[in-house]
Amino acid sequence: MRDPLLEIPCTTIDGRQKALADFNAKALLVVNTASQCGFTPQYKGLEALWTRYRERGLVVLGFPCDQFGHQEPGDEGEIAAFCERNFGVSFPLFAKVLVNGGEAHPLFVALKKRAPGLLGSKAIKWNFTKFLIADEGRTVERFSSRTPPEALAARIEAHL
């Protein structure tokens, strides 16, 4: 039986319904993203991880979020164009979500529960918080915005 985390429905940036299980990945890297953030250049590192490890089973998934400093004001079409034009993003992107509060997307509610932040904090503090999901959903690790994508290579390799 699949882990319920992998069955949570998500809407892609072009409006299709997908669950994490649909990607048949050995490891998934879920990131809440924003186009006008100091961490936005991390798109380049995320794309590099995707390019380097996708053939071995990694899928990087970007979830735009406008919840921190109004740093993702565009609509889905603008976000997709920005990511492709400025960072060559080819990994899957999703529709904008909320990651905190009463209307947080169920995926992020589940991720925060399984991998709390520092001192057990459940809230996501900022854009580009990363969750590495492996072992068919049994392993979830959380990394802060300050952790550059390239610093995750060894953790990713351990799950591929």
Side-chain angles (χ1 to χ4, degrees), residues 36-102:
Q36 298 178 12
C37 176
F39 295 112
T40 300
Q42 287 190 17
Y43 270 124
K44 183 177 180 181
L46 294 169
E47 180 65 21
L49 288 175
W50 164 244
T51 301
R52 181 175 176 187
Y53 294 115
R54 69 178 165 207
E55 295 299 320
R56 292 176 53 196
L58 173 71
V59 177
V60 176
L61 304 169
F63 287 81
C65 178
D66 192 36
Q67 209 163 12
F68 304 102
H70 194 48
Q71 294 181 344
E72 189 59 276
D75 65 25
E76 279 74 7
E78 292 167 329
I79 293 166
F82 171 87
C83 290
E84 184 178 348
R85 179 178 63 249
N86 292 292
F87 298 100
V89 167
S90 63
F91 58 81
L93 294 172
F94 288 80
K96 280 179 20 174
V97 297
L98 295 176
V99 298
N100 290 326

Short mmCIF file of all heavy atoms in Angstrom, two decimals, residues 36-102:
data_model
loop_
_atom_site.label_atom_id
_atom_site.label_comp_id
_atom_site.label_asym_id
_atom_site.label_seq_id
_atom_site.Cartn_x
_atom_site.Cartn_y
_atom_site.Cartn_z
N GLN A 36 10.53 36.46 -6.91
CA GLN A 36 11.12 37.75 -6.55
C GLN A 36 11.73 37.72 -5.15
O GLN A 36 11.59 38.64 -4.36
CB GLN A 36 10.07 38.85 -6.64
CG GLN A 36 9.52 39.02 -8.04
CD GLN A 36 8.43 40.09 -8.11
OE1 GLN A 36 8.21 40.85 -7.18
NE2 GLN A 36 7.75 40.13 -9.24
N CYS A 37 12.43 36.65 -4.85
CA CYS A 37 13.00 36.41 -3.53
C CYS A 37 14.52 36.44 -3.63
O CYS A 37 15.09 36.15 -4.69
CB CYS A 37 12.52 35.03 -3.05
SG CYS A 37 13.19 34.47 -1.49
N GLY A 38 15.17 36.73 -2.54
CA GLY A 38 16.63 36.67 -2.51
C GLY A 38 17.15 35.27 -2.80
O GLY A 38 18.29 35.10 -3.23
N PHE A 39 16.33 34.25 -2.55
CA PHE A 39 16.72 32.87 -2.81
C PHE A 39 16.32 32.39 -4.21
O PHE A 39 16.60 31.25 -4.57
CB PHE A 39 16.11 31.93 -1.76
CG PHE A 39 16.62 32.17 -0.36
CD1 PHE A 39 15.80 32.69 0.62
CD2 PHE A 39 17.94 31.90 -0.04
CE1 PHE A 39 16.26 32.92 1.91
CE2 PHE A 39 18.43 32.12 1.24
CZ PHE A 39 17.58 32.63 2.22
N THR A 40 15.70 33.24 -5.01
CA THR A 40 15.25 32.84 -6.35
C THR A 40 16.36 32.23 -7.20
O THR A 40 16.10 31.29 -7.96
CB THR A 40 14.57 34.03 -7.07
OG1 THR A 40 13.44 34.44 -6.29
CG2 THR A 40 14.10 33.67 -8.46
N PRO A 41 17.62 32.71 -7.09
CA PRO A 41 18.68 32.05 -7.87
C PRO A 41 18.85 30.56 -7.57
O PRO A 41 19.51 29.85 -8.34
CB PRO A 41 19.94 32.85 -7.49
CG PRO A 41 19.41 34.22 -7.16
CD PRO A 41 18.09 33.94 -6.46
N GLN A 42 18.23 30.06 -6.49
CA GLN A 42 18.30 28.63 -6.23
C GLN A 42 17.60 27.81 -7.31
O GLN A 42 17.84 26.61 -7.44
CB GLN A 42 17.69 28.30 -4.86
CG GLN A 42 18.58 28.72 -3.70
CD GLN A 42 18.08 28.18 -2.37
OE1 GLN A 42 17.27 27.25 -2.30
NE2 GLN A 42 18.58 28.76 -1.30
N TYR A 43 16.75 28.45 -8.12
CA TYR A 43 16.17 27.73 -9.26
C TYR A 43 17.27 27.09 -10.11
O TYR A 43 17.11 25.98 -10.61
CB TYR A 43 15.36 28.68 -10.15
CG TYR A 43 13.91 28.84 -9.79
CD1 TYR A 43 13.38 30.09 -9.54
CD2 TYR A 43 13.05 27.75 -9.75
CE1 TYR A 43 12.03 30.27 -9.25
CE2 TYR A 43 11.70 27.91 -9.47
CZ TYR A 43 11.21 29.16 -9.21
OH TYR A 43 9.87 29.32 -8.93
N LYS A 44 18.39 27.80 -10.26
CA LYS A 44 19.50 27.28 -11.06
C LYS A 44 20.04 25.98 -10.44
O LYS A 44 20.27 25.00 -11.13
CB LYS A 44 20.60 28.32 -11.17
CG LYS A 44 21.76 27.90 -12.03
CD LYS A 44 22.78 29.01 -12.15
CE LYS A 44 23.95 28.56 -13.02
NZ LYS A 44 24.97 29.58 -13.13
N GLY A 45 20.22 25.98 -9.13
CA GLY A 45 20.71 24.79 -8.44
C GLY A 45 19.70 23.65 -8.46
O GLY A 45 20.08 22.48 -8.56
N LEU A 46 18.42 23.99 -8.33
CA LEU A 46 17.38 22.96 -8.40
C LEU A 46 17.35 22.32 -9.78
O LEU A 46 17.23 21.09 -9.91
CB LEU A 46 16.02 23.56 -8.05
CG LEU A 46 15.86 24.05 -6.61
CD1 LEU A 46 14.57 24.85 -6.47
CD2 LEU A 46 15.89 22.88 -5.63
N GLU A 47 17.47 23.14 -10.82
CA GLU A 47 17.51 22.61 -12.19
C GLU A 47 18.74 21.73 -12.38
O GLU A 47 18.66 20.67 -13.02
CB GLU A 47 17.50 23.75 -13.21
CG GLU A 47 17.53 23.30 -14.65
CD GLU A 47 16.30 22.54 -15.12
OE1 GLU A 47 15.22 22.65 -14.50
OE2 GLU A 47 16.41 21.81 -16.13
N ALA A 48 19.87 22.11 -11.78
CA ALA A 48 21.09 21.30 -11.90
C ALA A 48 20.90 19.95 -11.22
O ALA A 48 21.35 18.92 -11.76
CB ALA A 48 22.28 22.05 -11.29
N LEU A 49 20.25 19.91 -10.05
CA LEU A 49 19.97 18.63 -9.39
C LEU A 49 19.07 17.76 -10.27
O LEU A 49 19.30 16.56 -10.44
CB LEU A 49 19.31 18.85 -8.03
CG LEU A 49 20.18 19.40 -6.91
CD1 LEU A 49 19.33 19.68 -5.68
CD2 LEU A 49 21.33 18.45 -6.58
N TRP A 50 18.03 18.38 -10.81
CA TRP A 50 17.08 17.67 -11.69
C TRP A 50 17.81 17.08 -12.88
O TRP A 50 17.66 15.91 -13.22
CB TRP A 50 16.00 18.66 -12.09
CG TRP A 50 15.12 18.30 -13.25
CD1 TRP A 50 15.06 18.98 -14.44
CD2 TRP A 50 14.14 17.26 -13.35
NE1 TRP A 50 14.11 18.41 -15.25
CE2 TRP A 50 13.53 17.36 -14.61
CE3 TRP A 50 13.73 16.26 -12.48
CZ2 TRP A 50 12.54 16.48 -15.03
CZ3 TRP A 50 12.74 15.39 -12.90
CH2 TRP A 50 12.16 15.51 -14.16
N THR A 51 18.65 17.87 -13.52
CA THR A 51 19.39 17.42 -14.70
C THR A 51 20.36 16.30 -14.34
O THR A 51 20.47 15.30 -15.06
CB THR A 51 20.15 18.61 -15.32
OG1 THR A 51 19.21 19.62 -15.68
CG2 THR A 51 20.94 18.19 -16.55
N ARG A 52 21.03 16.44 -13.21
CA ARG A 52 22.05 15.47 -12.80
C ARG A 52 21.45 14.14 -12.36
O ARG A 52 22.02 13.07 -12.63
CB ARG A 52 22.87 16.07 -11.66
CG ARG A 52 23.97 15.19 -11.14
CD ARG A 52 24.77 15.94 -10.09
NE ARG A 52 25.79 15.11 -9.51
CZ ARG A 52 26.54 15.47 -8.50
NH1 ARG A 52 26.38 16.66 -7.95
NH2 ARG A 52 27.44 14.66 -8.01
N TYR A 53 20.31 14.16 -11.67
CA TYR A 53 19.81 12.95 -11.03
C TYR A 53 18.49 12.41 -11.58
O TYR A 53 18.04 11.35 -11.12
CB TYR A 53 19.64 13.20 -9.53
CG TYR A 53 20.94 13.42 -8.81
CD1 TYR A 53 21.22 14.64 -8.22
CD2 TYR A 53 21.90 12.41 -8.73
CE1 TYR A 53 22.42 14.86 -7.55
CE2 TYR A 53 23.10 12.62 -8.06
CZ TYR A 53 23.35 13.85 -7.48
OH TYR A 53 24.53 14.06 -6.83
N ARG A 54 17.86 13.06 -12.51
CA ARG A 54 16.54 12.58 -12.94
C ARG A 54 16.58 11.19 -13.56
O ARG A 54 15.66 10.40 -13.37
CB ARG A 54 15.86 13.58 -13.85
CG ARG A 54 16.47 13.74 -15.21
CD ARG A 54 15.69 14.74 -16.04
NE ARG A 54 16.48 15.13 -17.19
CZ ARG A 54 16.36 16.27 -17.80
NH1 ARG A 54 15.48 17.15 -17.39
NH2 ARG A 54 17.11 16.55 -18.83
N GLU A 55 17.65 10.86 -14.27
CA GLU A 55 17.75 9.53 -14.87
C GLU A 55 17.91 8.45 -13.81
O GLU A 55 17.62 7.28 -14.06
CB GLU A 55 18.92 9.45 -15.86
CG GLU A 55 18.76 10.36 -17.07
CD GLU A 55 17.53 10.02 -17.91
OE1 GLU A 55 17.25 8.82 -18.09
OE2 GLU A 55 16.86 10.96 -18.36
N ARG A 56 18.34 8.84 -12.61
CA ARG A 56 18.52 7.88 -11.51
C ARG A 56 17.31 7.85 -10.58
O ARG A 56 17.30 7.08 -9.62
CB ARG A 56 19.78 8.22 -10.73
CG ARG A 56 21.04 7.97 -11.57
CD ARG A 56 22.31 8.38 -10.89
NE ARG A 56 22.48 7.78 -9.57
CZ ARG A 56 23.36 8.23 -8.68
NH1 ARG A 56 24.16 9.24 -8.97
NH2 ARG A 56 23.45 7.66 -7.49
N GLY A 57 16.31 8.71 -10.84
CA GLY A 57 15.07 8.61 -10.08
C GLY A 57 14.69 9.79 -9.22
O GLY A 57 13.74 9.71 -8.45
N LEU A 58 15.39 10.93 -9.35
CA LEU A 58 14.99 12.14 -8.61
C LEU A 58 14.01 12.95 -9.43
O LEU A 58 14.19 13.13 -10.64
CB LEU A 58 16.20 13.03 -8.31
CG LEU A 58 15.85 14.39 -7.67
CD1 LEU A 58 15.38 14.21 -6.24
CD2 LEU A 58 17.04 15.33 -7.74
N VAL A 59 12.98 13.46 -8.77
CA VAL A 59 12.10 14.44 -9.39
C VAL A 59 12.06 15.66 -8.47
O VAL A 59 11.81 15.55 -7.27
CB VAL A 59 10.66 13.89 -9.60
CG1 VAL A 59 9.75 14.97 -10.19
CG2 VAL A 59 10.70 12.69 -10.53
N VAL A 60 12.37 16.81 -9.04
CA VAL A 60 12.28 18.09 -8.34
C VAL A 60 10.91 18.67 -8.66
O VAL A 60 10.49 18.68 -9.83
CB VAL A 60 13.40 19.06 -8.79
CG1 VAL A 60 13.23 20.43 -8.14
CG2 VAL A 60 14.77 18.48 -8.49
N LEU A 61 10.20 19.15 -7.64
CA LEU A 61 8.86 19.69 -7.82
C LEU A 61 8.79 21.08 -7.19
O LEU A 61 9.02 21.23 -5.98
CB LEU A 61 7.83 18.76 -7.15
CG LEU A 61 7.85 17.31 -7.61
CD1 LEU A 61 6.99 16.45 -6.70
CD2 LEU A 61 7.37 17.21 -9.04
N GLY A 62 8.47 22.08 -8.00
CA GLY A 62 8.39 23.45 -7.52
C GLY A 62 6.94 23.86 -7.28
O GLY A 62 6.09 23.70 -8.16
N PHE A 63 6.68 24.40 -6.10
CA PHE A 63 5.36 24.87 -5.71
C PHE A 63 5.43 26.37 -5.42
O PHE A 63 5.81 26.76 -4.31
CB PHE A 63 4.85 24.12 -4.48
CG PHE A 63 4.44 22.71 -4.75
CD1 PHE A 63 5.38 21.70 -4.85
CD2 PHE A 63 3.10 22.39 -4.93
CE1 PHE A 63 4.99 20.39 -5.11
CE2 PHE A 63 2.69 21.09 -5.19
CZ PHE A 63 3.65 20.08 -5.28
N PRO A 64 5.10 27.21 -6.38
CA PRO A 64 5.12 28.66 -6.14
C PRO A 64 4.21 29.04 -4.98
O PRO A 64 3.13 28.47 -4.81
CB PRO A 64 4.62 29.25 -7.46
CG PRO A 64 4.84 28.18 -8.48
CD PRO A 64 4.68 26.89 -7.73
N CYS A 65 4.68 30.01 -4.21
CA CYS A 65 3.94 30.46 -3.03
C CYS A 65 4.12 31.96 -2.87
O CYS A 65 5.24 32.47 -2.94
CB CYS A 65 4.47 29.72 -1.80
SG CYS A 65 3.68 30.23 -0.26
N ASP A 66 3.03 32.66 -2.67
CA ASP A 66 3.06 34.12 -2.51
C ASP A 66 2.83 34.53 -1.06
O ASP A 66 2.41 35.63 -0.77
CB ASP A 66 2.01 34.77 -3.43
CG ASP A 66 2.18 36.28 -3.54
OD1 ASP A 66 3.33 36.75 -3.55
OD2 ASP A 66 1.15 36.98 -3.61
N GLN A 67 3.14 33.65 -0.14
CA GLN A 67 2.82 33.86 1.26
C GLN A 67 3.89 34.63 2.03
O GLN A 67 3.66 35.04 3.15
CB GLN A 67 2.59 32.50 1.92
CG GLN A 67 1.64 32.54 3.07
CD GLN A 67 1.13 31.16 3.42
OE1 GLN A 67 1.62 30.14 2.95
NE2 GLN A 67 0.12 31.12 4.26
N PHE A 68 5.05 34.83 1.44
CA PHE A 68 6.15 35.48 2.14
C PHE A 68 6.56 36.74 1.39
O PHE A 68 7.20 36.69 0.35
CB PHE A 68 7.35 34.52 2.24
CG PHE A 68 7.00 33.22 2.92
CD1 PHE A 68 6.78 32.08 2.17
CD2 PHE A 68 6.87 33.16 4.29
CE1 PHE A 68 6.45 30.88 2.78
CE2 PHE A 68 6.53 31.97 4.92
CZ PHE A 68 6.32 30.82 4.16
N GLY A 69 6.19 37.88 1.91
CA GLY A 69 6.60 39.16 1.33
C GLY A 69 6.05 39.44 -0.05
O GLY A 69 6.61 40.25 -0.77
N HIS A 70 4.96 38.79 -0.44
CA HIS A 70 4.34 38.99 -1.77
C HIS A 70 5.40 38.87 -2.87
O HIS A 70 5.48 39.68 -3.78
CB HIS A 70 3.62 40.34 -1.81
CG HIS A 70 2.69 40.51 -2.96
ND1 HIS A 70 1.76 39.56 -3.32
CD2 HIS A 70 2.55 41.52 -3.85
CE1 HIS A 70 1.09 39.99 -4.39
NE2 HIS A 70 1.55 41.17 -4.72
N GLN A 71 6.23 37.81 -2.76
CA GLN A 71 7.35 37.64 -3.69
C GLN A 71 7.03 36.71 -4.86
O GLN A 71 7.91 36.38 -5.64
CB GLN A 71 8.58 37.14 -2.92
CG GLN A 71 9.06 38.19 -1.94
CD GLN A 71 10.29 37.77 -1.18
OE1 GLN A 71 10.66 36.60 -1.13
NE2 GLN A 71 10.94 38.74 -0.56
N GLU A 72 5.76 36.31 -4.98
CA GLU A 72 5.32 35.53 -6.14
C GLU A 72 3.98 36.08 -6.60
O GLU A 72 2.94 35.43 -6.52
CB GLU A 72 5.21 34.04 -5.78
CG GLU A 72 4.96 33.13 -6.97
CD GLU A 72 6.04 33.22 -8.01
OE1 GLU A 72 5.98 34.14 -8.86
OE2 GLU A 72 6.94 32.38 -8.01
N PRO A 73 3.98 37.33 -7.12
CA PRO A 73 2.72 37.98 -7.47
C PRO A 73 2.10 37.53 -8.79
O PRO A 73 0.91 37.74 -9.02
CB PRO A 73 3.11 39.46 -7.55
CG PRO A 73 4.55 39.43 -7.96
CD PRO A 73 5.13 38.22 -7.28
N GLY A 74 2.86 36.88 -9.66
CA GLY A 74 2.37 36.54 -10.99
C GLY A 74 1.38 35.40 -10.98
O GLY A 74 1.22 34.67 -10.00
N ASP A 75 0.70 35.22 -12.13
CA ASP A 75 -0.17 34.06 -12.29
C ASP A 75 0.69 32.89 -12.80
O ASP A 75 1.88 33.03 -13.06
CB ASP A 75 -1.34 34.37 -13.22
CG ASP A 75 -0.94 34.69 -14.65
OD1 ASP A 75 0.15 34.24 -15.13
OD2 ASP A 75 -1.71 35.38 -15.34
N GLU A 76 0.06 31.74 -12.95
CA GLU A 76 0.80 30.54 -13.31
C GLU A 76 1.55 30.68 -14.63
O GLU A 76 2.69 30.24 -14.75
CB GLU A 76 -0.13 29.32 -13.32
CG GLU A 76 -0.39 28.73 -11.95
CD GLU A 76 -1.33 29.53 -11.06
OE1 GLU A 76 -1.94 30.53 -11.52
OE2 GLU A 76 -1.47 29.16 -9.87
N GLY A 77 0.94 31.30 -15.62
CA GLY A 77 1.61 31.48 -16.90
C GLY A 77 2.84 32.36 -16.78
O GLY A 77 3.89 32.06 -17.37
N GLU A 78 2.73 33.43 -16.01
CA GLU A 78 3.88 34.32 -15.80
C GLU A 78 4.99 33.61 -15.03
O GLU A 78 6.17 33.77 -15.34
CB GLU A 78 3.44 35.57 -15.03
CG GLU A 78 2.52 36.47 -15.84
CD GLU A 78 1.84 37.54 -15.00
OE1 GLU A 78 1.57 37.30 -13.79
OE2 GLU A 78 1.57 38.62 -15.55
N ILE A 79 4.61 32.82 -14.05
CA ILE A 79 5.60 32.09 -13.25
C ILE A 79 6.35 31.09 -14.13
O ILE A 79 7.59 31.04 -14.11
CB ILE A 79 4.91 31.36 -12.08
CG1 ILE A 79 4.35 32.38 -11.09
CG2 ILE A 79 5.89 30.41 -11.38
CD1 ILE A 79 3.36 31.79 -10.08
N ALA A 80 5.63 30.31 -14.91
CA ALA A 80 6.25 29.31 -15.78
C ALA A 80 7.21 29.98 -16.77
O ALA A 80 8.34 29.50 -16.97
CB ALA A 80 5.19 28.50 -16.51
N ALA A 81 6.77 31.07 -17.38
CA ALA A 81 7.61 31.78 -18.36
C ALA A 81 8.86 32.34 -17.69
O ALA A 81 9.97 32.25 -18.23
CB ALA A 81 6.81 32.89 -19.03
N PHE A 82 8.70 32.93 -16.50
CA PHE A 82 9.84 33.48 -15.77
C PHE A 82 10.87 32.39 -15.47
O PHE A 82 12.07 32.58 -15.68
CB PHE A 82 9.36 34.12 -14.46
CG PHE A 82 10.48 34.52 -13.55
CD1 PHE A 82 11.08 35.77 -13.67
CD2 PHE A 82 10.94 33.66 -12.56
CE1 PHE A 82 12.13 36.13 -12.84
CE2 PHE A 82 11.99 34.01 -11.73
CZ PHE A 82 12.59 35.25 -11.87
N CYS A 83 10.41 31.27 -14.96
CA CYS A 83 11.31 30.18 -14.59
C CYS A 83 12.07 29.62 -15.78
O CYS A 83 13.27 29.37 -15.70
CB CYS A 83 10.54 29.07 -13.89
SG CYS A 83 9.94 29.52 -12.26
N GLU A 84 11.38 29.46 -16.89
CA GLU A 84 12.02 28.93 -18.09
C GLU A 84 13.00 29.95 -18.68
O GLU A 84 14.15 29.62 -19.00
CB GLU A 84 10.98 28.54 -19.13
CG GLU A 84 11.60 27.89 -20.35
CD GLU A 84 10.56 27.45 -21.36
OE1 GLU A 84 9.36 27.45 -21.05
OE2 GLU A 84 10.98 27.11 -22.47
N ARG A 85 12.55 31.18 -18.78
CA ARG A 85 13.36 32.24 -19.41
C ARG A 85 14.62 32.54 -18.59
O ARG A 85 15.70 32.70 -19.15
CB ARG A 85 12.51 33.50 -19.56
CG ARG A 85 13.22 34.69 -20.18
CD ARG A 85 12.29 35.90 -20.36
NE ARG A 85 11.79 36.39 -19.07
CZ ARG A 85 10.52 36.30 -18.65
NH1 ARG A 85 9.60 35.74 -19.41
NH2 ARG A 85 10.16 36.77 -17.48
N ASN A 86 14.50 32.64 -17.29
CA ASN A 86 15.62 33.10 -16.46
C ASN A 86 16.50 31.98 -15.91
O ASN A 86 17.67 32.23 -15.61
CB ASN A 86 15.08 33.95 -15.30
CG ASN A 86 14.51 35.25 -15.80
OD1 ASN A 86 15.21 36.11 -16.28
ND2 ASN A 86 13.19 35.37 -15.70
N PHE A 87 15.95 30.79 -15.76
CA PHE A 87 16.72 29.71 -15.13
C PHE A 87 16.67 28.40 -15.89
O PHE A 87 17.21 27.40 -15.43
CB PHE A 87 16.24 29.50 -13.69
CG PHE A 87 16.45 30.72 -12.83
CD1 PHE A 87 15.39 31.58 -12.56
CD2 PHE A 87 17.71 31.05 -12.34
CE1 PHE A 87 15.57 32.72 -11.80
CE2 PHE A 87 17.90 32.19 -11.58
CZ PHE A 87 16.84 33.03 -11.30
N GLY A 88 16.00 28.37 -17.05
CA GLY A 88 15.92 27.15 -17.84
C GLY A 88 15.21 26.02 -17.12
O GLY A 88 15.49 24.85 -17.37
N VAL A 89 14.28 26.37 -16.23
CA VAL A 89 13.60 25.35 -15.43
C VAL A 89 12.81 24.41 -16.34
O VAL A 89 11.98 24.83 -17.13
CB VAL A 89 12.68 26.00 -14.37
CG1 VAL A 89 11.74 24.98 -13.75
CG2 VAL A 89 13.52 26.69 -13.30
N SER A 90 13.10 23.12 -16.19
CA SER A 90 12.36 22.10 -16.94
C SER A 90 11.72 21.08 -15.99
O SER A 90 10.98 20.22 -16.44
CB SER A 90 13.28 21.39 -17.93
OG SER A 90 14.32 20.70 -17.25
N PHE A 91 12.00 21.19 -14.68
CA PHE A 91 11.36 20.28 -13.73
C PHE A 91 9.91 20.70 -13.53
O PHE A 91 9.54 21.84 -13.82
CB PHE A 91 12.14 20.20 -12.41
CG PHE A 91 12.34 21.50 -11.68
CD1 PHE A 91 11.35 22.05 -10.88
CD2 PHE A 91 13.55 22.18 -11.77
CE1 PHE A 91 11.54 23.24 -10.18
CE2 PHE A 91 13.76 23.37 -11.08
CZ PHE A 91 12.75 23.90 -10.29
N PRO A 92 9.07 19.80 -13.05
CA PRO A 92 7.64 20.10 -12.91
C PRO A 92 7.36 21.24 -11.92
O PRO A 92 7.93 21.29 -10.82
CB PRO A 92 7.05 18.78 -12.39
CG PRO A 92 8.02 17.73 -12.81
CD PRO A 92 9.37 18.39 -12.75
N LEU A 93 6.48 22.12 -12.34
CA LEU A 93 5.99 23.21 -11.50
C LEU A 93 4.50 23.03 -11.27
O LEU A 93 3.80 22.46 -12.11
CB LEU A 93 6.24 24.57 -12.17
CG LEU A 93 7.69 24.98 -12.36
CD1 LEU A 93 7.77 26.25 -13.22
CD2 LEU A 93 8.39 25.20 -11.02
N PHE A 94 4.04 23.56 -10.16
CA PHE A 94 2.64 23.41 -9.77
C PHE A 94 1.98 24.77 -9.63
O PHE A 94 2.65 25.81 -9.62
CB PHE A 94 2.55 22.60 -8.46
CG PHE A 94 2.87 21.17 -8.69
CD1 PHE A 94 4.20 20.75 -8.79
CD2 PHE A 94 1.87 20.23 -8.85
CE1 PHE A 94 4.51 19.43 -9.05
CE2 PHE A 94 2.17 18.91 -9.11
CZ PHE A 94 3.48 18.51 -9.21
N ALA A 95 0.67 24.75 -9.51
CA ALA A 95 -0.10 25.98 -9.29
C ALA A 95 0.31 26.56 -7.94
O ALA A 95 0.78 25.85 -7.04
CB ALA A 95 -1.59 25.67 -9.31
N LYS A 96 0.12 27.86 -7.78
CA LYS A 96 0.46 28.52 -6.53
C LYS A 96 -0.31 27.90 -5.37
O LYS A 96 -1.48 27.54 -5.52
CB LYS A 96 0.14 30.03 -6.60
CG LYS A 96 1.20 30.78 -7.33
CD LYS A 96 1.07 32.25 -7.54
CE LYS A 96 0.23 33.13 -6.78
NZ LYS A 96 0.40 34.55 -7.13
N VAL A 97 0.39 27.79 -4.24
CA VAL A 97 -0.20 27.21 -3.04
C VAL A 97 0.10 28.09 -1.82
O VAL A 97 0.99 28.94 -1.87
CB VAL A 97 0.36 25.79 -2.75
CG1 VAL A 97 0.00 24.82 -3.86
CG2 VAL A 97 1.86 25.82 -2.51
N LEU A 98 -0.63 27.84 -0.77
CA LEU A 98 -0.29 28.37 0.55
C LEU A 98 0.40 27.24 1.29
O LEU A 98 0.01 26.06 1.15
CB LEU A 98 -1.53 28.82 1.30
CG LEU A 98 -2.30 30.00 0.70
CD1 LEU A 98 -3.56 30.28 1.50
CD2 LEU A 98 -1.43 31.23 0.62
N VAL A 99 1.42 27.56 2.08
CA VAL A 99 2.15 26.52 2.80
C VAL A 99 1.93 26.58 4.31
O VAL A 99 2.26 25.64 5.02
CB VAL A 99 3.66 26.56 2.47
CG1 VAL A 99 3.89 26.28 0.99
CG2 VAL A 99 4.29 27.88 2.88
N ASN A 100 1.38 27.69 4.79
CA ASN A 100 1.10 27.88 6.21
C ASN A 100 -0.34 28.33 6.39
O ASN A 100 -0.96 28.83 5.45
CB ASN A 100 2.02 28.95 6.82
CG ASN A 100 3.46 28.49 6.94
OD1 ASN A 100 3.74 27.33 7.18
ND2 ASN A 100 4.38 29.42 6.78
N GLY A 101 -0.84 28.19 7.61
CA GLY A 101 -2.17 28.70 7.93
C GLY A 101 -3.27 27.70 7.66
O GLY A 101 -3.03 26.58 7.19
N GLY A 102 -4.48 28.13 7.93
CA GLY A 102 -5.65 27.27 7.82
C GLY A 102 -5.96 26.81 6.42
O GLY A 102 -6.66 25.81 6.24
#
